[in-house]
Amino acid sequence: MNGPAFRAILRVLKTCALSIIVLLTELPGSVKAQTAPPTVVDFWVKADTLFLEVKLNAEAMLAGADPTQPETYSDDTQYRSLRRKVSSELEPQIRDFVQVWKQSLVVEAPDRLDLSYEGVRIPVVGDTEKVRVSKLLLTARLPDHASNLRLTWPQYSGSVVLRQQNVIAPYTGFLTAGEISPLIPLQGGASLTTEQTLQTYFAKGISGFVQSPLKPSIVVLTLVMLTLSLRPVMSQVAFLAAGIFIGLGLGMYGVLDVPENVQDQALMASIIILALWNLVARHLQVWRLLAVLAAGCVQGLVLASDLTRIGVPPDHLAPAVFGFGVGNILPVILVAVLTFACALLVAGGSHRTRGRISVLASMLIAGIGVYWMAEPWLLA
């Protein structure tokens, strides 16, 4: 390429570059408006109340535009007028808008929650060519035993980043307009790996037993007191553990949905039956093992109700169920071992003394079971 032609092309390129620089300098608002922060919803639970803090471009929403698409509103006259208003002028309009808009913001736990508008924080006017991000606060009262949440982001509201706060392994997701989030456990754990889920729910299982140890301990005592012999105790504990896993799985996977008061009564009935069984049969039989398996299923259903209240990551249901079950069963096995060892220590090698311990303990356990079964009516 010859010299004059090359210099001509270079002059044209310089002119284009200078023109772009001048355009950027003279029209900063049009360029700045090409970038907008995403709409963000942070949510958390305190006591029995759900809090949702929505960080958004309120002026774009009021103008009927997608807040994440600045090219649709940057030159809009209504948007620019709203952007110049101070917070005291803008707040009433936002409040009125939210009363209608929140009807499309569906939050379920598991039934739809009634969202309440608590206020909005609007920054100072500042540079009107920049997006102003306001913070809108909504609250809702959670029903008793709510464990999971599902949110539907409204149509025509753009996309949103949904973030859980104040829990371990919180959920973070991205929803487009009209999209529905997955079930999110309110106690956290949505971002746990499989191994972390096992560890977390194993600890929750042990913690659950420590907080309410009496009834599961009484159940295992009825097994130990059948014969005070090692092999029958081991066989019954194995069938009890299998029943617990079966009942826990049936409850968590929605195969069986038994009211909690029925679960409690069934558990008390199983304690009474097994304790009375010890008084009339001194040997391990197949029917006894089947009865123990049924008692384990009932106890597993009770544990499923407890686990539902805690909340389970939907993507890690199986490891959560397994970890929680093992966390409850290991303390039960420990109680069985300690009870068996203490009974042998007291009875020594005397079979007659073992029989007396078994009869007296079984009568006491049956009496406790009868009292627990009648307690709701006695208190009423």
Side-chain angles (χ1 to χ4, degrees):
M1 184 178 294
N2 56 33
F6 177 79
R7 285 193 293 271
I9 294 173
L10 186 60
R11 283 196 298 270
V12 171
L13 292 175
K14 286 182 178 179
T15 302
C16 291
L18 287 173
S19 299
I20 293 173
I21 292 173
V22 171
L23 181 63
L24 294 177
T25 304
E26 294 297 324
L27 301 172
S30 61
V31 175
K32 291 176 182 177
Q34 298 307 308
T35 59
T39 300
V40 177
V41 174
D42 290 317
F43 70 94
W44 64 94
V45 175
K46 186 175 182 180
D48 59 351
T49 303
L50 173 70
F51 293 84
L52 291 94
E53 185 181 66
V54 186
K55 303 172 185 175
L56 78 168
N57 182 347
E59 293 89 337
M61 297 282 279
L62 291 174
D66 181 343
T68 61
Q69 301 293 326
E71 64 274 8
T72 64
Y73 61 79
S74 57
D75 294 327
D76 184 82
T77 304
Q78 182 184 3
Y79 170 78
R80 288 185 170 277
S81 174
L82 292 167
R83 182 62 186 83
R84 288 191 291 268
K85 289 187 176 183
V86 297
S87 59
S88 59
E89 297 174 328
L90 192 61
E91 194 278 334
Q93 293 181 255
I94 294 177
R95 182 176 64 248
D96 293 340
F97 170 81
V98 170
Q99 298 304 322
V100 177
W101 177 74
K102 70 177 185 177
Q103 302 303 318
S104 302
L105 179 61
V106 180
V107 182
E108 300 167 294
D111 299 323
R112 182 168 181 173
L113 303 181
D114 184 18
L115 296 174
S116 174
Y117 171 79
E118 300 295 335
V120 63
R121 286 185 292 173
I122 307 170
V124 297
V125 175
D127 185 353
T128 58
E129 299 298 337
K130 294 182 178 179
V131 169
R132 177 166 57 176
V133 178
S134 301
K135 294 181 179 180
L136 172 69
L137 183 63
L138 302 172
T139 63
R141 183 177 179 82
L142 288 170
D144 294 338
H145 310 314
S147 59
N148 296 291
L149 173 148
R150 179 185 281 117
L151 182 144
T152 303
W153 187 242
Q155 289 277 9
Y156 313 112
S157 296
S159 56
V160 63
V161 177
L162 183 61
R163 304 186 305 195
Q164 189 176 19
Q165 304 292 334
N166 303 333
V167 295
I168 298 173
Y171 170 85
T172 298
F174 181 84
L175 303 178
T176 58
E179 188 174 359
I180 303 173
S181 76
L183 278 176
I184 304 168
L186 294 175
Q187 298 294 326
S191 63
L192 291 174
T193 64
T194 300
E195 182 179 354
Q196 290 171 332
T197 302
L198 279 169
Q199 295 173 351
T200 300
Y201 282 86
F202 173 75
K204 289 181 183 293
I206 293 178
S207 176
F209 178 88
V210 170
Q211 292 173 6
S212 302
L214 193 54
K215 290 180 181 179
S217 297
I218 290 293
V219 171
V220 79
L221 285 179
T222 63
L223 313 184
V224 176
M225 293 303 162
L226 176 64
T227 64
L228 286 179
S229 298
L230 181 59
R231 184 174 295 177
V233 170
M234 292 176 60
S235 300
Q236 290 181 94
V237 169
F239 270 74
L240 180 72
I244 288 174
F245 275 116
I246 292 171
L248 187 55
L250 292 175
M252 291 307 299
Y253 283 94
V255 179
L256 283 180
D257 185 12
V258 182
E260 290 190 22
N261 60 330
V262 176
Q263 294 174 12
D264 290 336
Q265 291 297 305
L267 185 61
M268 296 307 101
S270 65
I271 289 174
I272 296 170
I273 292 171
L274 292 176
L276 293 177
W277 197 313
N278 294 347
L279 301 177
V280 297
R282 306 300 302 161
H283 301 287
L284 184 62
Q285 301 169 332
V286 173
W287 289 109
R288 171 73 179 202
L289 291 176
L290 293 177
V292 171
L293 183 70
C297 288
V298 173
Q299 191 171 346
L301 290 173
V302 173
L303 293 178
S305 297
D306 296 337
L307 185 55
T308 300
R309 283 192 289 269
I310 294 172
V312 179
D315 295 337
H316 297 299
L317 182 58
V321 168
F322 182 77
F324 190 74
V326 172
N328 275 277
I329 289 170
L330 285 184
V332 166
I333 295 174
L334 180 61
V335 170
V337 170
L338 292 176
T339 303
F340 183 74
C342 291
L344 290 185
L345 187 63
V346 172
S350 173
H351 292 285
R352 179 176 295 181
T353 304
R354 291 186 188 184
R356 289 175 178 174
I357 292 174
S358 177
V359 169
L360 291 174
S362 297
M363 291 175 63
L364 179 61
I365 292 169
I368 293 173
V370 170
Y371 172 77
W372 279 342
M373 179 171 279
E375 188 178 18
W377 290 277
L378 294 175
L379 295 178

